[in-house]
Amino acid sequence: MKSWLWKGMLAAAIALPALSGVAWAQGDEGCSNATLKGDYAFAVTAYTPPGLPNGSPQVVVGIETLDGKGKFTQRDYVGDSLRTRDQTDFSTGETGTYKVNSDCTGSAVINLNVPGTPPPRGVIQTVFVISGGGRSTHGVVSEFIPPGFTTPQPTQTRFDSWRVGSEQDN
């Protein structure tokens, strides 16, 4: 009897803080597209299997500008210390859309718009969670269609982003 009571109390002690966090997230104003607005610096770690474009571990840094209404632009640089990609500066021309749910989860579609490649020019779909009231996001790629491909290709990719500016601006 004491063992059962102890286990029940332990389970309640673990579950109550978690449940109160869920109630807070849903009972408060929650999130919307407007939660994400402004410039965000991001970092990506990706693994694409050999044989596909850029097949191998890959790192990317960049900055995206979100409009608070569901659209964004971004510039990024793929880590390439050997200069095999002939990229000497941040790319431009990437655009996309995003949707934020009231529970502070969301999704985005990034149109890579890679110049010099036949359509389609690359699409990345992501899912993410928002933390810190919109100061940062954490996500994974849910679908990757490289430039020139028509079907999704396997990848394991994660990313984090942080609002740019001073703590007072956030």
Side-chain angles (χ1 to χ4, degrees):
M1 179 77 167
K2 287 183 181 179
S3 175
W4 177 84
L5 181 60
W6 176 248
K7 288 179 184 175
M9 289 174 53
L10 181 61
I14 293 170
L16 284 177
L19 291 174
S20 67
V22 170
W24 175 83
Q26 293 175 349
D28 207 86
E29 291 181 25
C31 293
S32 69
N33 284 350
T35 305
L36 300 178
K37 184 176 181 181
D39 293 333
Y40 286 76
F42 64 87
V44 178
T45 303
Y47 177 77
T48 303
L52 293 176
N54 309 316
S56 67
Q58 198 175 60
V59 291
V60 180
V61 296
I63 192 159
E64 59 188 351
T65 302
L66 295 97
D67 69 359
K69 298 175 185 175
K71 293 185 179 183
F72 67 91
T73 59
Q74 76 178 35
R75 299 174 293 138
D76 56 38
Y77 183 85
V78 177
D80 184 19
S81 64
L82 298 177
R83 298 280 189 240
T84 59
R85 298 172 50 94
D86 295 326
Q87 184 177 355
T88 58
D89 200 357
F90 284 79
S91 67
T92 59
E94 295 175 1
T95 61
T97 58
Y98 66 97
K99 180 180 183 326
V100 174
N101 303 312
S102 62
D103 66 355
C104 299
T105 62
S107 60
V109 176
I110 305 166
N111 302 304
L112 297 177
N113 301 324
V114 176
T117 61
R121 294 186 168 185
V123 175
I124 299 173
Q125 294 183 26
T126 68
V127 294
F128 58 86
V129 296
I130 298 171
S131 65
R135 287 187 297 278
S136 59
T137 66
H138 317 280
V140 296
V141 169
S142 59
E143 187 171 275
F144 171 52
I145 303 176
F149 281 65
T150 57
T151 58
Q153 302 299 307
T155 185
Q156 292 180 344
T157 304
R158 68 173 301 275
F159 64 90
D160 296 289
S161 66
W162 305 267
R163 188 176 290 153
V164 176
S166 71
E167 199 58 36
Q168 295 169 343
D169 295 338
N170 297 327

